[in-house]
Amino acid sequence: MNLIHTLLAFIVALGTLVIVHELGHFLVARWCGVKVLRFSVGMGRVIFSRRFGKDQTEWALSVLPLGGYVKMLDAREQDLSDLSPQERKREFTQQSVWRRIAIVAAGPLANFVLAILIFAGLYMHGMPEPLPKLRAAPVESVAYQAGIRANQLITAIDGQPVAGWSDVRWRLLQLGLDKKTAHLDVSSPDTALPGATLLDTIALPLNSLSPQDMEGDFLHTLGIDLALPPAVLGQIAPGGPAMRAGLQSGDLILSVNHVAVVDGLALVELVRASPGKLLQIEGMRGQHRFNLEVTPDSVDTKSGAIGRILVEVRMAPEMITVRNDLPTAVAKAAHRTWDTSILTLKMLGRMLIGEASWKNITGPITIADYAGQTARLGLISYLSFMALISISLGVMNLLPIPVLDGGHLLYYSVEILTGRPVSERFSAIAQRAGMGVLMTLMLVAAFNDIVRLMF
């Protein structure tokens, strides 16, 4: 059932993005007066088609679902000797170079517009996400040395307000790639004056992050994590170590073996690290302090023995729903689309010079897996995933590789500079070279997909 769900989510996402991309080419071609012969979703042999409109454009579904194309009247591909002079004026190569640029660029631009519309809709609807309140940083971490402490709330980074945790992660990711110092505006409770807050600005250096750190959980590497709820016990499993020791639902755990427990995750980590070992528990039950002893069961796992006391511990961070009005949502969506595009180009550049791993290139298997995962999480996650893939599709198609839209735009740029089109011989050689590059990228992506699937 999960496989069917994943395939459907993948087909809907990819089909939507391909249709939007090709519609961009189609609509601008029609606007420029170029005759469109076929609009195909999918590549290869046509398995279903119908003709519509004044030009009897063929709307087709083809056998290979990975892509699509718009076939226009083109003297390089068809014999136009039987056409009237009026019809020949509607041929693609007869158009001015600026019109050809507009037609080719319209596909990637349509993907960017789709991403902006999705993000704007999500920002207006409201996106639930963790409040950017910080957990206590390890003493040896970069975050602690910079001045980050427990329960600080990040309100802005480099003067730009942040509302949720995704804003924090996104902004620090951008600054981390450039190895800059992030200036965090934070507020924290004033212990000396209940109800008041203290404001501070913390300079967080990011130059210690390696390319490998940026590919993983770089915030955790810095010592930055979300604040979590106190270690309050939930449901107690009957007959488990916690029940035998006398622990009860609602107990607040203060320390384990005289080590302070700052939140639920800290309690879980202490218990997991103590299989079969006696633990001294200090806590609060209502208004009364108590002391108990508990010995976690030892459970074997692939990574070794861990301790368990069979009790539920709440570890969900504090959430907030961020909503924006229409102008703010559109501006924020456009900014996010631009930043994501630039970040994608930076990552590609780093891969070319060896500062980032080629493992970051993914293919249809990984995309399908993520489509299924986000669809199971809900519509908001799924739409966010579609917006990000739409941006990636737009960026990849603008790369100056022959056979891609960006390669054709490169030809037209040369034509503008030289005053004459690129020769057919050069174009043919470049097309073969571009196909070789594209096939290499596809093989790398397929290899990475298989490795992820197996390991």
Side-chain angles (χ1 to χ4, degrees), residues 354-372:
E355 290 188 1
S357 172
W358 285 80
K359 294 179 181 179
N360 290 300
I361 297 178
T362 58
I365 296 176
T366 298
I367 294 172
D369 181 37
Y370 287 164

Side-chain angles (χ1 to χ4, degrees), residues 118-434:
I118 291 175
F119 279 136
L122 292 175
Y123 292 145
M124 290 177 64
H125 174 271
M127 301 178 66
E129 57 180 289
L131 189 70
K133 185 182 289 187
L134 300 177
R135 192 175 187 236
V139 176
E140 68 279 4
S141 68
V142 173
Y144 185 89
Q145 300 301 324
I148 294 234
R149 297 295 183 266
N151 294 320
Q152 287 177 330
L153 178 68
I154 301 177
T155 58
I157 298 178
D158 284 358
Q160 295 184 16
V162 295
W165 186 247
S166 64
D167 290 343
V168 172
R169 192 181 189 286
W170 178 250
R171 186 62 184 143
L172 292 182
L173 176 62
Q174 293 175 295
L175 295 172
L177 283 173
D178 294 333
K179 295 191 177 298
K180 294 182 178 179
T181 295
H183 296 87
L184 312 182
D185 292 342
V186 299
S187 64
S188 54
D190 186 350
T191 55
L193 189 60
T197 56
L198 298 173
L199 304 179
D200 195 9
T201 298
I202 296 172
L204 179 68
L206 303 175
N207 55 3
S208 63
L209 291 169
S210 67
Q212 291 73 30
D213 293 332
M214 297 306 298
E215 293 169 16
D217 188 356
F218 72 98
L219 292 181
H220 184 75
T221 301
L222 292 170
I224 295 177
D225 286 296
L226 279 168
L228 299 174
V232 177
L233 304 185
Q235 185 176 354
I236 311 291
M243 178 166 283
R244 293 197 301 269
L247 290 169
Q248 297 179 12
S249 178
D251 286 348
L252 170 63
I253 308 302
L254 302 175
S255 68
V256 174
N257 287 348
H258 308 294
V259 175
V261 174
V262 295
D263 53 33
L265 179 59
L267 174 61
V268 170
E269 290 173 340
L270 286 167
V271 171
R272 286 173 62 91
S274 307
K277 298 178 182 178
L278 183 68
L279 299 179
Q280 301 286 338
I281 304 290
E282 182 180 2
M284 294 290 294
R285 184 172 296 160
Q287 301 298 318
H288 305 287
R289 188 179 292 265
F290 67 86
N291 291 277
L292 292 173
E293 294 180 346
V294 61
T295 302
D297 291 338
S298 181
V299 179
D300 291 328
T301 67
K302 291 182 180 180
S303 57
I306 62 171
R308 287 182 181 167
I309 61 173
L310 299 181
V311 63
E312 182 183 59
V313 181
R314 214 168 49 87
M315 290 193 293
E318 186 177 349
M319 302 295 289
I320 183 174
T321 298
V322 181
R323 290 189 178 90
N324 301 106
D325 56 26
L326 178 59
T328 304
V330 172
K332 190 175 177 181
H335 194 266
R336 175 70 182 273
T337 300
W338 172 261
D339 286 346
T340 304
S341 302
I342 297 301
L343 181 63
T344 302
L345 289 173
K346 285 182 179 179
M347 288 299 295
L348 289 171
R350 289 178 181 273
M351 282 189 279
L352 287 175
I353 63 176
E355 290 188 1
S357 172
W358 285 80
K359 294 179 181 179
N360 290 300
I361 297 178
T362 58
I365 296 176
T366 298
I367 294 172
D369 181 37
Y370 287 164
Q373 291 183 36
T374 55
R376 284 188 287 274
L377 290 173
L379 185 59
I380 289 177
S381 297
Y382 184 60
L383 290 175
S384 298
F385 162 79
M386 282 186 60
L388 293 174
I389 296 300
S390 190
I391 294 170
S392 296
L393 184 61
V395 171
M396 293 302 294
N397 269 281
L398 285 176
L399 294 179
I401 300 174
V403 310
L404 296 179
D405 293 332
H408 293 292
L409 292 175
L410 180 61
Y411 295 159
Y412 303 147
S413 299
V414 172
E415 183 176 344
I416 290 173
L417 292 174
T418 62
R420 61 180 183 275
V422 173
S423 70
E424 290 186 11
R425 184 172 183 277
F426 177 84
S427 178
I429 294 172
Q431 290 290 101
R432 287 195 290 271

